[in-house]
Amino acid sequence: MKNFKNILYPSLLTLTMGGAIWCTKLDDAVLDRLTSASSISPDLTLKSAYQSLGPNFTDQAAVYALTEHPSDEMQGPTRGADWDDNGRWRNLHTHTWTNQSDDVLAAWNNLNRGHALANEVINNAAASAKQKAEATYLRAFYMFYTMDLFGQVAFRDPANPG
């Protein structure tokens, strides 16, 4: 009988407390998309589009790695596993990378992120003509490198967000 009480009382307590929590009405707010393009600050979005240049062109990885290593303009270290980054540089040099390679994935994601941010500024009604001009240049820049490295540009009509 004592074992039964040791199981029954904690179970009843858990169910009672759980019922108080589970019986509430939850109105879930969608946070992963914007309701309209005008709700975005064009100044901050343009700043983010400029900041996307950093990881692409100021580091030895991503776009820089894809343009320099395979073309023999840059030679990666080759003295063992720790110098070679587990074959990372060798894969780029010998053109044996895959779509899941770190540099390929990072370049694709970063270039498309900058492209999308530039599109948001261009389609923002609150953006000034100067901001739209800067965003148009940035979009062309990101699209150029995406086309150069991957042969295609993922482009979505901003008027059709679905």
Side-chain angles (χ1 to χ4, degrees):
M1 189 68 168
K2 187 174 184 177
N3 282 339
F4 179 71
K5 286 181 182 180
N6 287 343
I7 294 172
L8 179 66
Y9 292 135
S11 299
L12 287 175
L13 181 65
T14 303
L15 287 174
T16 304
M17 291 177 68
I21 295 170
W22 297 326
C23 293
T24 60
K25 184 175 188 305
L26 177 64
D27 292 324
D28 191 21
V30 178
L31 299 175
D32 65 341
R33 69 184 96 126
L34 297 168
T35 56
S36 68
S38 62
S39 65
I40 310 167
S41 166
D43 195 37
L44 293 176
T45 307
L46 187 61
K47 184 177 179 181
S48 294
Y50 276 113
Q51 287 174 341
S52 289
L53 292 170
N56 283 315
F57 299 98
T58 61
D59 189 9
Q60 67 180 2
V63 173
Y64 185 76
L66 290 182
T67 57
E68 301 298 320
H69 276 281
S71 66
D72 286 338
E73 292 179 29
M74 184 174 172
Q75 178 62 43
T78 57
R79 290 185 251 162
D82 60 332
W83 282 76
D84 195 31
D85 286 337
N86 295 321
R88 172 185 180 189
W89 306 117
R90 193 175 333 118
N91 286 340
L92 289 173
H93 181 73
T94 59
H95 299 235
T96 56
W97 63 81
T98 66
N99 61 350
Q100 295 302 313
S101 298
D102 290 339
D103 292 311
V104 174
L105 213 52
W108 176 260
N109 289 338
N110 291 339
L111 288 170
N112 281 305
R113 180 178 185 276
H115 176 197
L117 289 168
N119 271 343
E120 285 181 18
V121 174
I122 292 168
N123 297 313
N124 193 328
S128 68
K130 181 179 183 289
Q131 289 171 327
K132 287 184 179 186
E134 288 180 44
T136 301
Y137 172 78
L138 283 173
R139 181 176 68 177
F141 184 83
Y142 284 121
M143 288 173 73
F144 169 80
Y145 272 96
T146 305
M147 182 60 96
D148 185 42
L149 291 172
F150 300 103
Q152 62 183 347
V153 177
F155 195 81
R156 180 182 68 169
D157 181 16
N160 184 12

